[in-house]
């Protein structure tokens, strides 16, 4: 875990999602007060967490500041509950020897010796000299290269720490106060709050300082007057250091990068540890984009945040840029929902490509071998918060039909379909093998009158996906397989005249998709995609108009028109759910039409036992076509 205050993501995913949706609220701090280290506190704030620039709020339990850790047993037991993994002692060796730390159990101890001296040398003769000494000390953190180097080393170590860090000096106000101010400034805390936090030392140590000053006033009033400015802090001390930053570097950012030599990545890691943000534009997002932004926000409380990760660098960069850069649309894996939607609707494509069970083109007892190639477009428009989807399906099928007598015909076939779906910078390819069988029964005759037809299809498919997530987050790849099942039942009537045949039908189709779960690779935010089991029921209405065959040389040619309507009895959209670091994200397909209209035209030419046909279809802005050949025997 990144910090001790974090519980498992899976246990808090719903809470995090709620917080993401509600924005980031200031948190009441529960930092314990220690009697044996009275200046111990959280740099996140005093009573409530500070707000930061760019709609952030400081996290508690990340960085603690204190005076010397000469802890009582009770206070040590309290500190042991805070998950502190690293202690940084800013004191000189002489100070350490005089009052060694009692380090929290399991914590790593590092003596930084920020000043670089063997001990503290301080001999003012007036109160003004004491103030000047304190101000010069703050300036030295800026203009002394050795001090900057030691401070930078500690900040780099703090960025790499696994748990909470604690830094301190003797009084917890000067060396510690400057370090806290630098971290708070890096986090985007306002200048006013930084100064208030610096001056809070006077409140935290008031009782101890009052007792010390009372003793000095009683025993050596002149010395008490000199030491008065040193016992606490004054705004002019910190301001002297801040003014030196402005004079030498212009901005605190330049001090961090040029003076301390911190990389932007380290700055982002420290900021990711300290601040939780409301993401730019999140409150105005809808659909899949909103779900993507929600998981990006919730990941701030995962092990990917506040560490040297691609996610942390992306998110902090996005915070600075004021935009998520489109990653909100790509991270959730919409293409998995779109590909599943396309697969479910391919059952209808197979169904529409099988006219051979009619038995009308054959004599009783005759059989027919047939083959068909098909190609269809499957593009879907974008809608609110959901990216558009582009797809195509190409395939080949072959089979046998047989007319048993004047009332019964049946067929069986097999084929392959290759589908490709692209959406939200992702692509999913499916390679499907299917078998299909069906039959038709004419109550009076297969050639005219009322009939009923049925079809069943079973398919197995391989699934491969690639998603370009963007934002430096890499490419997520995954593969799995699954099964597809379908069945349809239709009731129709063949009305035949001397010039044409018209066939209205009504029916129902059932489709079921089962896709196994899989884990993507190649990105820190790759998805653990859940297994998918999705069903679809459609009401089918259609009418076909076929003209009387016309002789053209030795060929007999028949044109036909067909119109169809499908109404989804269930939710038309398909959803797919995945998880990033245990945080769920659901995406919905671009296709969501419950009512689909289609129209098509075909022409067939027959020469003795051979029949060739071509068909074109148009459906909700998409087109497709089929070529087929059959031979009767």
């Amino acid at each position: 875990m990144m910090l001790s205050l974090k519980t498992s993501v899976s246990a808090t995913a719903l809470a995090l999602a709620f917080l993401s949706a509600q924005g980031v609220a200031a948190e009441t701090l529960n930092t314990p007060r220690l009697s044996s280290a009275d200046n111990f506190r959280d740099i996140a704030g005093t009573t409530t967490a500070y707000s930061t620039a760019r709609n952030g709020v400081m996290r508690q339990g990340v960085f603690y500041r204190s005076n010397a850790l000469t802890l009582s047993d009770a206070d040590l037991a309290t500190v042991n509950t805070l998950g502190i993994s690293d202690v940084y002692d800013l004191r000189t060796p002489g100070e350490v020897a005089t009052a060694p730390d009692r380090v929290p159990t399991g914590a790593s101890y590092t003596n930084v010796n920020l000043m670089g001296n063997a001990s503290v040398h301080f001999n003012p003769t007036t109160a003004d000299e004491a103030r000047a000494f304190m101000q010069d000390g703050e300036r030295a953190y800026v203009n002394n290269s050795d001090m900057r180097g030691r401070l930078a080393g500690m900040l780099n170590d703090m960025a790499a720490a696994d748990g909470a860090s604690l830094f301190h000096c003797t009084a917890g106000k000067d060396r510690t106060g400057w370090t806290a101010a630098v971290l708070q400034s890096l986090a985007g805390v306002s200048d006013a709050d930084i100064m208030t936090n610096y001056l809070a030392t006077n409140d935290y140590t008031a009782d101890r300082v009052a007792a010390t000053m009372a003793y000095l006033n009683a025993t050596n009033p002149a010395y008490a007057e000199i030491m008065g400015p040193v016992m606490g802090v004054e705004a002019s001390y910190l301001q002297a250091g801040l003014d030196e930053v402005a004079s030498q570097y212009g901005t605190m950012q330049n001090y961090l990068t040029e003076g301390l030599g911190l990389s932007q990545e380290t700055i982002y890691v420290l900021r990711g540890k300290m601040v939780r943000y409301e993401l730019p534009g999140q409150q105005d997002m809808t659909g899949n984009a909103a779900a993507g932004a929600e998981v990006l926000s919730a990941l701030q409380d995962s092990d990917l945040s506040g560490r040297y990760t691609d996610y942390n660098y992306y998110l902090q960069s996005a915070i600075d840029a004021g935009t998520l850069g489109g990653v909100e649309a790509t991270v959730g894996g919409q293409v998995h929902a779109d590909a599943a939607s396309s697969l479910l609707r391919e059952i209808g494509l197979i169904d529409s490509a099988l006219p051979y069970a009619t038995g009308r083109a054959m004599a009783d007892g005759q059989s027919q071998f047939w083959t068909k190639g098909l190609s269809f477009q499957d593009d879907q428009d974008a809608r609110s918060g959901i990216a558009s989807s582009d797809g195509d399906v190409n395939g080949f099928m072959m089979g046998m039909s047989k007319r048993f007598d004047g009332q019964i015909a049946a067929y069986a076939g097999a084929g392959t379909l290759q589908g490709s779906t692209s959406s939200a910078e992702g692509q999913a390819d499916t390679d499907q093998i299917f078998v299909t069988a069906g039959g038709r029964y004419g109550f009076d005759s297969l050639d005219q009158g009322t009939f009923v037809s049925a079809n069943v299809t079973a398919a197995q498919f391989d699934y491969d996906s690639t998603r370009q997530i963007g934002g430096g987050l890499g490419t997520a790849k995954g593969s799995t397989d699954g099964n597809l099942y379908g069945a349809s039942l239709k009731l129709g009537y063949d009305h035949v005249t001397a010039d044409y045949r018209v066939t209205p039908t009504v029916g129902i189709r059932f489709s079921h998709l089962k896709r196994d779960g899989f884990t993507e690779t190649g990105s820190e935010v790759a998805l653990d995609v859940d297994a998918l089991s999705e069903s679809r029921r459609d009401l089918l209405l259609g009418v076909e108009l076929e003209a009387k065959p016309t002789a053209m040389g030795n060929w007999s040619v028949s044109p036909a028109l067909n119109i169809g309507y499908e109404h989804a009895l269930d939710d038309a959209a398909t959803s797919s759910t995945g998880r990033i670091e245990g945080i769920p994200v659901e995406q919905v397909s671009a296709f969501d039409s419950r009512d689909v209209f289609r129209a098509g035209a075909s022409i067939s030419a027959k020469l003795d036992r051979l029949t060739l046909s071509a068909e074109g279809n148009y459906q909700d802005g998409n087109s497709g076509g089929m070529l087929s050949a059959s031979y009767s025997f």
Side-chain angles (χ1 to χ4, degrees):
M1 303 302 292
M2 186 181 81
L3 296 173
S4 62
L5 63 98
K6 293 180 181 175
T7 56
S8 66
V9 175
S10 58
T12 60
L14 293 177
L16 296 178
F18 176 79
L19 290 174
S20 297
Q22 300 300 313
V24 181
E27 185 178 11
T28 300
L29 301 184
N30 56 9
T31 311
R33 296 294 298 267
L34 306 180
S35 61
S36 56
D38 54 12
N39 211 7
F40 176 87
R41 47 199 164 107
D42 196 315
I43 74 164
T46 52
T47 57
T48 58
Y50 295 131
S51 297
T52 75
R54 307 175 187 87
N55 294 320
V57 172
M58 291 288 282
R59 306 176 192 258
Q60 64 175 317
V62 180
F63 294 132
Y64 294 99
R65 54 176 292 177
S66 182
N67 44 347
L69 296 182
T70 53
L71 301 174
S72 65
D73 290 343
D75 285 344
L76 180 59
T78 298
V79 172
N80 279 337
T81 67
L82 302 179
I84 295 170
S85 65
D86 293 84
V87 172
Y88 300 94
D89 187 344
L90 308 181
R91 299 177 297 169
T92 65
E95 292 172 285
V96 172
T98 300
D101 280 350
R102 297 190 72 185
V103 178
T105 302
S108 173
Y109 171 86
T110 303
N111 179 215
V112 177
N113 187 11
L114 188 58
M115 295 173 62
N117 301 324
S119 60
V120 177
H121 303 287
F122 177 61
N123 296 297
T125 59
T126 67
D128 288 341
E129 284 185 13
R131 287 190 174 89
F133 177 86
M134 301 299 289
Q135 293 163 359
D136 286 343
E138 298 292 314
R139 294 187 186 100
Y141 305 135
V142 182
N143 58 39
N144 185 299
S145 62
D146 290 337
M147 289 192 190
R148 294 198 308 270
R150 286 185 281 271
L151 179 58
M154 181 181 68
L155 293 176
N156 277 298
D157 288 345
M158 292 168 72
D162 289 331
S165 295
L166 185 154
F167 56 93
H168 76 91
C169 54
T170 294
K173 63 186 184 68
D174 304 315
R175 289 161 287 187
T176 298
W178 179 256
T179 302
V182 168
L183 286 168
Q184 290 165 340
S185 180
L186 182 154
V189 176
S190 70
D191 292 345
D193 283 339
I194 291 172
M195 183 61 75
T196 298
N197 188 267
Y198 177 77
L199 295 175
T201 282
N202 297 331
D203 297 324
Y204 277 78
T205 63
D207 291 345
R208 175 170 53 82
V209 170
T212 301
M213 291 303 296
Y215 172 80
L216 291 176
N217 280 317
T219 57
N220 191 339
Y223 186 65
E225 182 179 354
I226 295 171
M227 292 299 295
V230 180
M231 298 300 293
V233 292
E234 297 180 8
S236 66
Y237 304 166
L238 178 60
Q239 194 60 51
L242 297 175
D243 290 345
E244 190 71 7
V245 169
S247 173
Q248 297 293 323
Y249 297 100
T251 65
M252 181 61 78
Q253 174 69 16
N254 289 342
Y255 170 68
L256 294 171
T257 56
E258 299 172 14
L260 300 183
L262 298 182
S263 68
Q264 190 61 49
E265 187 174 15
T266 293
I267 291 172
Y268 280 166
V269 170
L270 290 168
R271 202 171 77 179
K273 286 178 180 287
M274 289 189 286
V275 187
R276 196 182 198 283
Y277 292 96
E278 178 182 334
L279 302 191
Q282 183 179 359
Q283 295 300 318
D284 298 324
M285 293 178 185
T286 59
N288 290 342
E294 186 174 298
V295 75
L296 288 172
S297 180
L299 284 170
Q300 292 182 88
D301 298 284
S302 76
D303 286 343
L304 294 179
S305 183
R307 293 178 182 267
Y308 289 94
T309 62
D310 293 337
Y311 164 80
N312 189 78
Y313 195 91
Y314 153 73
L315 190 75
Q316 299 302 320
S317 298
I319 295 298
D320 285 345
T323 174
L324 295 181
V327 174
E328 71 278 9
T330 63
V331 71
Q334 179 188 321
V335 71
H336 299 312
D338 287 324
S341 173
S342 181
L343 280 167
L344 271 172
R345 289 177 284 118
E346 285 178 14
I347 288 292
L349 176 60
I350 296 171
D351 195 13
S352 67
L354 295 168
Y356 300 103
T358 64
R360 291 193 307 239
M362 295 180 287
D364 290 354
Q366 193 172 44
S367 298
Q368 187 181 64
F369 171 79
W370 48 262
T371 180
K372 176 168 287 195
L374 51 89
S375 179
F376 278 87
Q377 176 188 14
D378 185 19
D379 296 346
Q380 306 297 327
D381 293 335
R383 49 197 177 95
S384 180
I386 298 175
S388 62
S389 171
D390 299 326
D392 59 76
V393 180
N394 299 286
F396 172 81
M397 55 200 304
M398 61 193 319
M400 295 283 293
S401 299
K402 184 176 179 63
R403 176 166 171 155
F404 294 95
D405 54 34
Q407 290 181 284
I408 300 175
Y411 71 89
T416 66
L417 289 177
Q418 291 76 44
S420 180
T421 303
S422 299
S423 62
E425 302 302 321
Q427 178 173 322
D429 297 321
T430 58
D431 192 354
Q432 179 184 154
I433 300 175
F434 66 88
V435 293
T436 185
R440 173 166 162 155
Y441 174 77
F443 289 93
D444 295 318
S445 167
L446 287 173
D447 299 313
Q448 62 181 351
T450 305
F451 66 87
V452 62
S453 64
N455 163 265
V456 292
T457 299
Q460 188 277 330
F461 62 86
D462 294 326
Y463 183 97
D464 296 286
S465 64
T466 300
R467 299 190 300 118
Q468 304 291 335
I469 298 173
L473 293 171
T475 301
K477 297 182 178 181
S479 61
T480 186
D481 52 35
N483 300 98
L484 188 62
Y485 306 97
S488 65
L489 181 67
K490 295 179 183 178
L491 178 67
Y493 184 85
D494 269 328
H495 176 69
V496 181
T497 71
D499 298 319
Y500 59 85
R501 177 192 300 270
V502 61
T503 307
T505 57
V506 59
I508 190 169
R509 181 170 59 238
F510 173 80
S511 308
H512 180 74
L513 170 70
K514 179 181 178 297
R515 187 188 68 197
D516 293 341
F518 62 100
T519 298
E520 296 178 328
T521 60
S523 171
E524 292 172 352
V525 293
L527 289 164
D528 290 321
V529 182
D530 290 355
L532 177 65
S533 181
E534 187 95 3
S535 296
R536 178 185 175 96
R537 296 174 302 159
D538 293 285
L539 175 66
L540 311 175
L541 299 175
V543 61
E544 181 182 17
L545 178 64
E546 182 181 5
K548 176 183 177 181
T550 301
M552 298 183 68
N554 294 327
W555 292 85
S556 176
V557 179
S558 299
L561 298 174
N562 64 79
I563 299 173
Y565 166 73
E566 298 182 7
H567 174 73
L569 300 176
D570 306 297
D571 187 0
T574 303
S575 62
S576 179
T577 300
R579 300 170 194 279
I580 306 173
E581 293 288 306
I583 303 169
V585 54
E586 182 180 27
Q587 299 281 277
V588 179
S589 64
F591 179 85
D592 72 335
S593 300
R594 296 194 67 180
D595 299 292
V596 175
F597 296 88
R598 61 175 174 81
S602 65
I603 187 167
S604 62
K606 184 176 182 181
L607 177 64
D608 193 18
R609 296 171 180 265
L610 175 67
T611 302
L612 304 177
S613 64
E615 181 178 346
N617 286 286
Y618 181 84
Q619 176 177 302
D620 285 1
N622 292 307
S623 59
M626 293 181 279
L627 296 174
S628 61
S630 65
Y631 184 80
S632 300
F633 58 93

